[in-house]
Amino acid sequence: MDFGFGPDDEAFRGEARRWLAAHLTGGYGGVRGRGRPGSEHEGVAERRAWERELGRGGWIGLGWGSDAYGNRRATLTQQVVWAEEYARARAPGRHGHIGENLLAPTLLAYGSKEQREEFLPPIARGEVLWCQGYSEPGAGSDLAGVRTRAVRDGEMYAVTGQKIWTSLAHEADWCFVLARTEEGSRGHRGLSFLLVPMDQPGRVEVRPIRQLTGTSEFNEVFFDGARARAGHVVGGAGQGWRVAMGLLGFERGVSTLVQQIGFAQELAAVVREAVASGAVRDAVVRERLERLWAELWVMRWNALRTLGGAGAGAGAGGGAGAGVGAGARAGGGAGAVVEGGAPSVAKLLWGRWHQGLGELAVLVRGAAGAVGPSDWSADAPYELDEAQRLHLFTRADTIYGGSDEVQRNIIAERVLGLPREAREPR
């Protein structure tokens, strides 16, 4: 494997660095480093405007494999370069990542020409935000238990049900919803993947869920006969499970590398705090820091190796599945679907790793890590600092996006061929 960057990548790096330096000024400069996981409530208006700024620069949709939607076209290694420069510049947390990195590759793989032409350009311009309607109170990690219904009514569907843990639903314009469209169906059968507009007063209600961090980027969403066009069913009626699982493969593709760049910044901050507090002199703390550093590099190499394997057959023409190294520089894309147990392995690795980092972020500060700001009073809202927010947010890392237990079952049953776990009938 070639884990390096070529001359074209470095030229691309220079362009990205210059653009970020020129545009992260004024009001945008004020939201640098803000809006990360656990603090999505920060600088909402400025970050939404920043999405449109990114769109005008063509920086949204780099890996779509085509520049037909107003975006730039970039190889896999160039996408990694952009993510590195974005993190280095401490650019604000992205508002539009769900549409860009989850829905868009799904439409490119399963959507119709009309769906792509309707939905991809607004995403590329940074004008439309999306949320994901998968989990339900009785169907979290096990999506086969979805109960939300969508009943065909002429050229429309009426969607009724409840979704939960829906990130950024309170700001999203659209939601892609996994719903049951076949009466009496169970499990994986009879599901469809629908695109549902959120601006439907009386038919779509969003209720924020307040978390330990004091923020509420997660929501409950209630659909009461919400309308969705029949032409907005992706992949065809009854094909929702196939489309939904394909989307999860995209979620754990190139975005895994992007995520790790943020992890590296967080680790660097914890190291600085350990040095400042003197905690680094403790042999146990020092060993944990060294282990986290080594494991982060292992995760990066594993992700690069996996993506390289996923794109090995893409050819020099590139497109959605091209790999790392020379093949990636020839024309890789963010749409590489990682097959088999690789997505589950990646999720197990980073979930536990990030949770351990969150614990250490507070530990290295000693007793000070357990208390709030010194000027806190009963008349002011209780605020968490960055390390405390990281610690509390990471408690969910081994649950959301597919719990560790589910990932281990997938690896055991689908990769190792072990006997399936006994399940009660629905």
Side-chain angles (χ1 to χ4, degrees):
M1 288 297 299
D2 175 10
F3 294 132
F5 297 104
D8 290 345
D9 301 323
E10 295 305 332
F12 188 83
R13 184 186 302 279
E15 181 183 3
R17 186 173 294 182
R18 289 189 295 272
W19 189 92
L20 287 165
H23 290 79
L24 274 173
T25 58
Y28 299 140
V31 289
R32 282 193 175 196
R34 300 175 67 185
R36 303 297 181 183
S39 59
E40 285 92 341
H41 62 291
E42 296 178 337
V44 171
E46 295 87 348
R47 287 168 46 226
R48 183 144 193 178
W50 174 245
E51 289 292 320
R52 295 190 289 273
E53 189 75 17
L54 289 170
R56 285 190 288 272
W59 295 105
I60 298 176
L62 297 181
W64 291 356
S66 168
D67 56 6
Y69 306 104
N71 58 307
R72 296 171 185 247
R73 191 173 188 171
T75 65
L76 178 58
T77 46
Q78 288 170 348
Q79 293 164 54
V80 175
V81 164
W82 166 252
E84 288 179 343
E85 291 305 311
Y86 195 91
R88 186 196 63 81
R90 298 186 67 249
R94 291 291 309 281
H95 245 38
H97 69 279
I98 294 176
E100 177 187 9
N101 298 320
L102 299 186
L103 179 68
T106 302
L107 290 179
L108 288 166
Y110 303 103
S112 65
K113 179 176 181 290
E114 292 75 19
Q115 289 169 348
R116 293 193 291 271
E117 290 177 347
E118 179 178 359
F119 292 108
L120 293 185
I123 295 174
R125 293 193 298 266
E127 295 174 351
V128 175
L129 301 184
W130 287 79
C131 61
Q132 176 176 347
Y134 273 19
S135 296
E136 299 182 4
S141 294
D142 185 7
L143 284 177
V146 162
R147 295 184 179 181
T148 294
R149 303 275 175 183
V151 178
R152 183 73 180 261
D153 180 14
E155 293 303 308
M156 306 292 289
Y157 279 91
V159 182
T160 302
Q162 178 186 358
K163 297 294 180 177
I164 198 167
W165 312 122
T166 310
S167 299
L168 304 179
H170 58 298
E171 298 173 23
D173 304 295
W174 287 77
C175 181
F176 48 89
V177 177
L178 189 62
R180 204 164 288 283
T181 53
E182 183 179 320
E183 186 67 31
S185 64
R186 292 186 176 184
H188 304 167
R189 297 181 177 84
L191 296 169
S192 295
F193 189 102
L194 298 94
L195 309 180
V196 182
M198 294 291 284
D199 186 14
Q200 299 190 51
R203 290 177 171 172
V204 179
E205 180 184 357
V206 178
R207 299 180 188 172
I209 300 173
R210 188 174 176 83
Q211 301 160 200
L212 282 172
T213 57
T215 60
S216 53
E217 66 269 18
F218 294 127
N219 305 269
E220 293 179 283
V221 182
F222 297 86
F223 299 100
D224 186 8
R227 311 297 281 176
R229 285 172 47 189
H232 289 167
V233 174
V234 179
Q239 299 299 310
W241 184 259
R242 179 175 68 98
V243 177
M245 293 302 101
L247 181 144
L248 292 178
F250 298 127
E251 181 179 24
R252 293 165 193 166
V254 172
S255 58
T256 300
L257 286 169
V258 177
Q259 177 190 56
Q260 289 167 11
I261 294 166
F263 286 174
Q265 289 187 318
E266 292 173 343
L267 175 59
V270 174
V271 171
R272 287 193 297 269
E273 183 63 42
V275 172
S277 67
V280 73
R281 292 192 293 269
D282 184 303
V284 173
V285 170
R286 191 163 60 249
E287 189 275 337
R288 288 180 67 176
L289 288 170
E290 291 168 350
R291 179 177 291 275
L292 286 169
W293 179 87
E295 289 174 346
L296 183 59
W297 274 101
V298 169
M299 285 193 292
R300 177 178 174 81
W301 288 328
N302 180 65
L304 289 168
R305 177 184 59 83
T306 301
L307 286 168
V324 180
R329 288 191 287 272
V337 181
V338 182
E339 303 291 351
S344 295
V345 171
K347 177 60 171 63
L348 284 172
L349 286 173
W350 74 253
R352 288 290 179 184
W353 184 94
H354 202 218
Q355 202 169 81
L357 180 67
E359 294 168 356
L360 198 56
V362 172
L363 176 66
V364 298
R365 299 174 59 195
V371 298
S374 58
D375 60 350
W376 179 83
S377 70
D379 299 324
Y382 187 86
E383 288 289 340
L384 298 170
D385 62 34
E386 198 165 323
Q388 292 167 335
R389 191 178 291 120
L390 174 66
H391 171 62
L392 292 176
F393 186 86
T394 57
R395 305 316 299 166
D397 281 338
T398 53
I399 301 173
Y400 75 82
S403 70
D404 279 12
E405 292 79 6
V406 168
Q407 305 309 324
R408 291 192 180 98
N409 275 351
I410 291 172
I411 294 169
E413 296 173 3
R414 303 181 191 177
V415 179
L416 302 179
L418 297 177
R420 293 180 64 85
E421 180 183 25
R423 293 175 173 83
E424 295 183 5
R426 296 187 182 280

